[in-house]
């Protein structure tokens, strides 16, 4: 399944910040260590060289990914017309028939890592909730079968520019 190319302003800024950190700070730091370790001579048995060279490859891989991804991402900013309905960037509080509640924000697939309160716009839950209003029910297809959730609240936070 292809990832959606949407991102919140906050998410875009975090990805850009990560790219800047990796490229301007972390990579030069590791490059110095690799150069120092290479100057010691035999590289085949040099743990510093081998380990840091691997870290350098991982940094380069992530930098390439971020550069390509940032080029194609479309930033979706808050629009007052979204109020009252679930759209991209919404904080949603939902409840099931058993009284269990969940609160999360619907964001792009690049933003969900490290956050338990964010879900991807590509997830079945987000897809079921899009365009729903408070007190609407959303049927989410899961491996265990269809689950019904009720929308309690919908809020939007305006991302900083």
């Amino acid at each position: 399944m292809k990832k959606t190319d949407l991102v919140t302003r906050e998410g875009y800024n975090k990805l850009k910040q990560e790219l800047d950190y990796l490229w301007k700070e972390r990579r030069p730091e590791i490059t110095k260590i690799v150069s120092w370790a290479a100057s010691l001579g035999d590289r085949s048995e040099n743990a510093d060289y081998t380990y840091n060279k691997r870290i350098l490859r991982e940094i380069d891989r992530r930098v390439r990914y971020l550069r390509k991804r940032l080029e194609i991402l479309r930033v979706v900013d808050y629009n007052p017309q979204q109020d009252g309905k679930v759209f991209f960037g919404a904080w949603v509080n939902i409840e099931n028939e058993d009284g269990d509640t969940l609160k999360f924000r619907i964001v792009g697939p690049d933003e969900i890592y490290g956050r338990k309160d964010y879900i991807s716009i590509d997830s079945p839950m987000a897809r079921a909730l899009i365009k729903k209003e408070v007190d609407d029910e959303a049927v989410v297809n899961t491996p265990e079968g269809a689950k019904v959730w009720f929308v309690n609240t919908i809020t939007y936070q305006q991302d900083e520019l």
Side-chain angles (χ1 to χ4, degrees):
M1 185 164 126
K2 184 183 180 301
K3 284 203 250 185
T4 301
D5 295 332
L6 300 177
V7 67
T8 62
R9 174 79 51 197
E10 174 190 12
Y12 183 87
N13 290 341
K14 283 185 181 175
L15 291 172
K16 183 84 173 90
Q17 195 174 36
E18 179 186 358
L19 174 62
D20 290 344
Y21 167 74
L22 288 173
W23 187 249
K24 294 176 181 171
E25 293 177 39
R26 186 76 173 130
R27 192 176 193 288
E29 174 186 302
I30 298 298
T31 302
K32 283 181 192 171
I33 296 170
V34 169
S35 297
W36 166 79
S39 71
L40 298 177
D42 187 13
R43 295 177 188 169
S44 63
E45 294 181 18
N46 188 330
D48 279 330
Y49 178 82
T50 307
Y51 175 74
N52 287 293
K53 192 71 173 166
R54 184 166 21 117
I55 290 175
L56 197 56
R57 282 193 301 274
E58 290 169 7
I59 290 170
D60 287 345
R61 186 177 310 117
R62 183 69 178 161
V63 164
R64 275 192 307 278
Y65 172 79
L66 288 171
R67 282 186 173 158
K68 286 180 183 178
R69 196 74 180 130
L70 286 169
E71 274 182 24
I72 60 172
L73 286 174
R74 285 192 351 241
V75 176
V76 177
D77 288 315
Y78 166 78
N79 185 328
Q81 292 177 328
Q82 294 173 289
D83 285 340
K85 289 192 176 191
V86 178
F87 288 107
F88 186 83
W91 280 97
V92 184
N93 187 313
I94 58 174
E95 184 176 352
N96 67 10
E97 295 145 334
D98 299 330
D100 299 328
T101 61
L102 293 174
K103 182 179 180 178
F104 50 79
R105 186 175 189 200
I106 299 173
V107 296
D110 296 288
E111 300 176 75
I112 61 173
Y113 302 101
R115 295 288 306 249
K116 293 191 185 305
D117 58 345
Y118 279 14
I119 66 168
S120 171
I121 186 75
D122 297 329
S123 70
M125 176 69 81
R127 292 289 181 201
L129 289 169
I130 293 297
K131 295 185 182 176
K132 299 289 188 221
E133 297 179 21
V134 173
D135 294 331
D136 282 356
E137 72 176 44
V139 179
V140 182
N141 294 317
T142 68
E144 295 88 32
K147 305 284 183 190
V148 178
W149 291 87
F150 300 95
V151 179
N152 288 337
T153 62
I154 305 164
T155 56
Y156 289 89
Q157 79 183 35
Q158 294 184 30
D159 293 326
E160 297 173 15
L161 298 178

